[in-house]
Amino acid sequence: AQTVTQSQPEMSVQEAETVTLSCTYDTSESDYYLFWYKQPPSRQMILVIRQEAYKQQNATENRFSVNFQKAAKSFSLKISDSQLGDAAMYFCAYRSAQNYGGSQGNLIFGKGTKLSVKP
Amino acid sequence: KAGVTQTPRYLIKTRGQQVTLSCSPISGHRSVSWYQQTPGQGLQFLFEYFSETQRNKGNFPGRFSGRQFSNSRSEMNVSTLELGDSALYLCASSLTGVGNTIYFGEGSWLTVV
């Protein structure tokens, strides 16, 4: 079974600084997808960034980028120029690319990292 | 374009009662899945529906059930509620195909007293 581990329960960053959130995962599959979701106090899960395992190039979305190390099974999120609105819980998630019995594939989440942004 | 809509947003139930939560996916999305979020267990997958059929199920007791209608709307039901069922229940939808992004609703907060 696949597992996702986020080893940092809480992180703090100064506004305008850069912070990196860590995520490791375990899988025997070669094709899969990885995601970072943000959950602000409103509790709605918002997609931050996604990475296809077959792509070597790291995904980037504005101030958010990932460092995807497939061999090491590591998928960290870097937030540049941190803003007060970035304060939230961040979840790393894994999704298989296999279509088992017609399933679209569920997300397997890590426990999350609570990010605080100091003004 | 409207997002994933969940109703009700908040509800309080008594132990032993049952509850039904509703989810309307994003227009055009035919895959709907449900997740339970608690402080202790984190986010856990409940089940997934596609074309009115349950395609995948998480490790939850039979008290948790769901269904999907022909318009892709979905409901989940929890019978004989226990205190431990208190949680945020998140519904998510996506286009068909394993590579598509999963979008979440704002969730239904269930408190069991």
Side-chain angles (χ1 to χ4, degrees):
Chain A
Q2 297 87 11
T3 58
V4 177
T5 302
Q6 292 179 250
S7 59
Q8 306 153 316
E10 295 189 30
M11 291 280 286
S12 181
V13 64
Q14 204 71 32
E15 196 176 5
E17 300 279 297
T18 295
V19 64
T20 298
L21 309 184
S22 301
C23 172
T24 58
Y25 58 95
D26 189 28
T27 183
S28 58
E29 299 177 328
S30 59
D31 199 12
Y32 47 86
Y33 302 88
L34 295 166
F35 304 85
W36 279 98
Y37 279 89
K38 169 185 176 181
Q39 189 178 44
S42 69
R43 305 308 289 269
Q44 179 164 20
M45 299 287 281
I46 301 165
L47 177 68
V48 174
I49 199 164
R50 60 175 275 161
Q51 174 80 43
E52 289 85 356
Y54 61 85
K55 289 186 178 179
Q56 292 186 338
Q57 187 173 5
N58 290 324
T60 300
E61 287 288 342
N62 301 314
R63 298 182 295 108
F64 299 87
S65 62
V66 298
N67 184 2
F68 172 50
Q69 301 289 326
K70 190 172 184 179
K73 296 180 182 175
S74 171
F75 182 60
S76 61
L77 174 70
K78 185 171 84 171
I79 306 174
S80 304
D81 185 25
S82 296
Q83 301 175 359
L84 295 178
D86 294 335
M89 283 290 290
Y90 285 82
F91 292 94
C92 178
Y94 172 102
R95 188 184 191 190
S96 171
Q98 302 300 314
N99 188 327
Y100 297 110
S103 170
Q104 304 296 299
N106 57 282
L107 290 165
I108 299 169
F109 287 93
K111 292 293 189 184
T113 296
K114 183 178 181 181
L115 178 66
S116 302
V117 181
K118 297 178 181 177
Chain B
K1 194 172 188 181
V4 179
T5 305
Q6 293 187 243
T7 56
R9 292 293 317 282
Y10 304 91
L11 65 166
I12 300 173
K13 290 287 188 178
T14 304
R15 267 185 306 177
Q17 288 186 315
Q18 73 162 9
V19 66
T20 299
L21 308 178
S22 180
C23 172
S24 293
I26 293 172
S27 178
H29 287 193
R30 294 169 57 198
S31 176
V32 175
S33 50
W34 290 87
Y35 293 80
Q36 181 198 62
Q37 185 175 21
T38 59
Q41 300 299 316
L43 282 149
Q44 294 183 288
F45 169 71
L46 279 158
F47 26 64
E48 173 201 358
Y49 286 87
F50 173 64
S51 292
E52 302 175 63
T53 302
Q54 187 179 93
R55 303 289 179 167
N56 194 5
K57 190 177 191 302
N59 188 25
F60 279 83
R63 301 185 296 106
F64 291 81
S65 63
R67 59 178 176 169
Q68 185 181 35
F69 302 94
S70 58
N71 62 358
S72 296
R73 191 176 68 85
S74 177
E75 289 181 348
M76 67 163 282
N77 183 277
V78 187
S79 63
T80 319
L81 284 166
E82 300 176 0
L83 296 179
D85 297 333
S86 295
L88 176 66
Y89 290 88
L90 291 164
C91 175
S93 74
S94 70
L95 293 168
T96 57
V98 292
N100 289 293
T101 297
I102 295 177
Y103 296 92
F104 286 83
E106 292 182 293
S108 291
W109 279 102
L110 170 65
T111 300
V112 182
V113 297

